[in-house]
Amino acid sequence: MNSIILRVGTRYLCGLLVLFSLYMLIRGHNEPGGGFIGGLIGSTGFVLFALACGTADARAALKVMPQNIAMAGLGIALLAGIAAAVFGDALFTGQWLFINETPEDKGIPLSTVLVFDIGVYLVVFGSILSIVFAMEEEI
């Protein structure tokens, strides 16, 4: 597409969508949402960017090959699953750490579930962009 309004608008929209996808990732840690929907939203920003500015510009803006992002996410998700075995639990059992825990307050919860969600986010983000970039380069 050759519209200056669309190209400039998608640059801002891409940033907003990636930011919103990170919000969905963190929000989904304890509520509905999470890595899958966050990855879909984040990849949508770059898909719009690729449609408006071209795949080469979208790849340049991404700075990392989407296949590598998906592979890194797969490794992170696998490590989160294996972490439970270190503590003697079944694979993919959530392990929790509460920072600043007091008798009245649980503190800030950190868990392998969040790490797994981050891995899922990266797998979805990288996979969708790999497919869309390949399809757009074929057309």
Side-chain angles (χ1 to χ4, degrees):
M1 302 200 181
N2 199 10
S3 168
I4 186 85
I5 296 171
L6 181 64
R7 281 187 274 155
V8 172
T10 54
R11 288 178 193 265
Y12 291 111
L13 190 59
C14 178
L16 285 174
L17 284 171
V18 170
L19 189 65
F20 182 64
S21 74
L22 293 174
Y23 167 75
M24 289 300 291
L25 169 67
I26 301 299
R27 180 190 174 271
H29 176 57
N30 291 325
E31 295 183 30
F36 189 85
I37 192 68
L40 284 176
I41 293 170
S43 63
T44 301
F46 276 93
V47 168
L48 289 174
F49 190 85
L51 289 174
C53 301
T55 307
D57 286 349
R59 284 185 184 274
L62 193 57
K63 298 188 188 324
V64 179
M65 292 185 61
Q67 298 93 333
N68 293 343
I69 294 172
M71 292 295 291
L74 195 60
I76 290 170
L78 184 63
L79 286 176
I82 291 174
V86 172
F87 296 103
D89 292 329
L91 291 176
F92 293 100
T93 302
Q95 302 296 318
W96 293 84
L97 172 68
F98 294 95
I99 298 174
N100 295 333
E101 182 178 12
T102 62
E104 298 87 31
D105 186 27
K106 286 184 177 179
I108 300 170
L110 293 177
S111 71
T112 56
V113 177
L114 177 62
V115 176
F116 182 78
D117 270 349
I118 291 170
V120 170
Y121 175 93
L122 294 174
V123 167
V124 171
F125 184 83
S127 300
I128 296 294
L129 289 181
S130 295
I131 293 168
V132 170
F133 287 174
M135 289 173 60
E136 191 168 317
E137 289 170 347
E138 288 291 322
I139 296 175

